[in-house]
Amino acid sequence: MEIAAYKPYGDHEFESLIERIHPPRVCIDNDSCRDSTIVKVDSANKHGILLEMVQVLTDLDLLILRSYICSDGSWLMDVFHVTDQLGNKITDESLIHYIEQAICASRRGSKEIQTCVGRNVRPRHFSMEHTAMEMTGTDRPGLMSEISAVLAELGCHVSGAVAWTHNNRAACIVYMEDELKHGPILDSYRVAQIQAQLENVVEAHHYEGERRSVRLAAPAASQTHTERRLHQLMAADRDYEQCCSCGYEDDVLHRQRKGCNSTEVKIGNCKEKGYSIVTVRSIDRPKLLFDTICTLTDLQYVVFHASISSFESIAVQEYYVRHKNGWTLDSESERRRMTQNLMAATARRVSHGLRLDVTTQNRVGLLSDITRIFRENGLSISRAEVGVQGEKAVGTFYVKDASGQAVNPETLEIVRREIGGTVLVANNSSGRPSSQPSTLSNTSPSISTSSSSSKQDKPGFSLGSMFWSQLEWLSSNFRPIKS
């Protein structure tokens, strides 16, 4: 029996009418579950809305413990079990109100800035006020140090950055402004000059014909979420090509000890209903759900039903999907592509190395100075986020010795003294900051603009420098599939 093709994009005026007649309903329940707050969403369906809802929750650094998705047809009923980073229920009334507003706003495509819990809360992972630089290429120690030095020399003030590395590939997004004019860089001649200089840096260690890309983009009214954009950049750079699964019978933890990708993907078909069933089993961590949904959405697959849960340290995600054109995953090439992309998506954010959280006074050239200190002391960055909080710059860096070994304590102390400010150190395995006041820790990045250490985990990235991830408040930690 043939299954009619699913058509997610219909008449926009009709969709708008349906939403006016049946506006989304968000119910936040703290009574039904002992260990988590339940967020229930009942709404007219639209392609991409699942990612938007998950993005709202993860941008608030909430951990998604379990989720049940049902969005067959023109209506959706989704349930998320969430806690804060400490495992507590969400009880703050202003935060609850914000979640309700933000999910409804995401349905309408609205991105207004709103106030919550005494601070500005907005989509943190994109900036509409800064020029953005996107780069992909071969990962190597010192790359970010060289990039940030060029930007400083050309009078570009870095407001934030995010950098990931995976399979010897690197991707970063840097937001910057004119040092003198304190605004986006709009002069076309200057933009071309900056891009040419950055291309020279990226090309310096590439072989002829090797993949690389540098692009500067002017501020736009609507931009893709930074972390989703990083997934897209790395996928376009084909970082997934080296991802291949071990046997499905291997235990995830056992495979991780063997050094294999700790993710296994199984794909089957439910012929009676016309779905493909995609099961992803991996080590649990924060933002895992966001990363998976990003990949499925960007591969143009629609999630009709899903069940997400975690057992001890293992997360199991089961999705019933079809391509947006209605097709299932029938060919071996399609299944292999899906498997490789999902394995890459779960691995990109995994951090390798020691986590350093830096909070210091923001100033022009700060990113260049910090990345230079790492490089001069033989450290490479496997992943980084940098952002601004008021007059402080806050950054999270995952660093390794140039040989890939653990960082020597003496080297760490030298780095701490040279950076200044507050540096917290967190053991990558525990993800908990050390009580020592001057060590880099497991918090969110923010080296280029503001202070205040935030908490965030990101994949390792050897671009010998760091990147800021974003706006006003950065904090996000890795924990069980909670995001």
Side-chain angles (χ1 to χ4, degrees), residues 16 32 43 50 76 114 133 221 251 256 314 357 461 463 470:
S16 177
S32 300
S43 170
L50 175 59
L76 66 83
Q114 304 181 43
M133 182 210 75
D251 175 79
Q256 185 183 48
I314 302 299
D357 294 325
F461 160 37
L463 291 182
Q470 162 64 42

Side-chain angles (χ1 to χ4, degrees), residues 215-278:
R215 186 179 78 95
L216 264 65
S222 176
Q223 294 181 353
T224 303
H225 188 279
T226 298
E227 293 183 346
R228 181 181 182 188
R229 183 60 183 152
L230 280 170
H231 278 298
Q232 293 173 343
L233 289 173
M234 298 207 83
D237 194 47
R238 304 203 295 276
D239 73 311
Y240 57 82
E241 289 183 341
Q242 296 182 41
C243 292
C244 58
S245 59
C246 298
Y248 292 150
E249 71 279 1
D250 288 344
D251 175 79
V252 173
L253 291 173
H254 174 64
R255 292 166 55 226
Q256 185 183 48
R257 287 193 292 270
K258 293 194 297 183
C260 302
N261 187 323
S262 58
T263 299
E264 60 180 48
V265 179
K266 294 183 179 180
I267 299 175
N269 282 335
C270 178
K271 294 183 179 180
E272 297 79 9
K273 299 294 183 180
Y275 298 126
S276 287
I277 306 172
V278 179

Side-chain angles (χ1 to χ4, degrees), residues 19 25 38 65 114 121 135 155 195 212 220 256 300 325 335 359 376 378 404 442 450 452:
E19 290 187 10
R25 291 177 300 211
I38 301 177
L65 307 177
Q114 304 181 43
V121 173
M135 185 281 297
Q195 180 157 327
R212 59 187 179 275
Q256 185 183 48
Q300 301 298 307
N325 290 326
R335 294 186 178 206
T359 301
E376 290 178 348
N442 224 6
S450 95
S452 109

Side-chain angles (χ1 to χ4, degrees), residues 52-225:
E52 292 175 12
M53 290 188 292
V54 171
Q55 184 175 301
V56 166
L57 299 175
T58 55
D59 278 350
L60 290 169
D61 292 325
L62 300 179
L63 305 182
I64 302 175
L65 307 177
R66 296 178 295 280
S67 182
Y68 308 97
I69 309 300
C70 182
S71 55
D72 211 343
S74 60
W75 203 257
L76 66 83
M77 291 181 289
D78 298 345
V79 178
F80 305 93
H81 290 247
V82 304
T83 68
D84 64 17
Q85 290 286 323
L86 299 177
N88 301 318
K89 291 185 178 184
I90 312 305
T91 57
D92 187 293
E93 290 298 329
S94 60
L95 180 56
I96 289 174
H97 181 63
Y98 174 79
I99 294 171
E100 294 171 339
Q101 283 188 318
I103 289 179
C104 290
S106 73
R107 285 298 291 112
R108 297 188 295 269
S110 173
K111 299 289 184 185
E112 310 111 2
I113 297 174
Q114 304 181 43
T115 300
C116 169
V117 198
R119 64 186 170 187
N120 249 0
V121 173
R122 56 181 172 175
R124 326 179 266 151
H125 293 283
F126 60 79
S127 171
M128 295 179 288
E129 298 90 20
H130 301 89
T131 300
M133 182 210 75
E134 298 179 348
M135 185 281 297
T136 59
T138 301
D139 186 24
R140 60 178 171 82
L143 176 57
M144 189 48 197
S145 178
E146 296 173 16
I147 289 175
S148 56
V150 168
L151 293 176
E153 184 179 347
L154 293 174
C156 302
H157 177 51
V158 175
S159 305
V162 191
W164 290 357
T165 57
H166 178 239
N167 280 348
N168 297 318
R169 307 301 298 173
C172 72
I173 299 176
V174 177
Y175 296 98
M176 56 192 173
E177 61 183 6
D178 189 286
E179 177 184 335
L180 298 178
K181 297 180 180 179
H182 303 290
I185 302 167
L186 301 176
D187 180 79
S188 58
Y189 174 79
R190 185 143 185 255
V191 168
Q193 179 191 31
I194 294 169
Q195 180 157 327
Q197 294 281 1
L198 293 172
E199 286 174 347
N200 288 337
V201 170
V202 174
E203 291 174 4
H205 295 271
H206 279 67
Y207 297 108
E208 185 177 353
E210 195 172 18
R211 296 191 306 275
R212 59 187 179 275
S213 172
V214 177
R215 186 179 78 95
L216 264 65
S222 176
Q223 294 181 353
T224 303
H225 188 279

Side-chain angles (χ1 to χ4, degrees), residues 388-408:
V388 179
Q389 294 181 341
E391 296 181 353
K392 295 287 186 177
V394 183
T396 294
F397 307 90
Y398 290 86
V399 298
K400 299 180 292 185
D401 182 270
S403 62
Q405 303 302 312
V407 179
N408 185 296

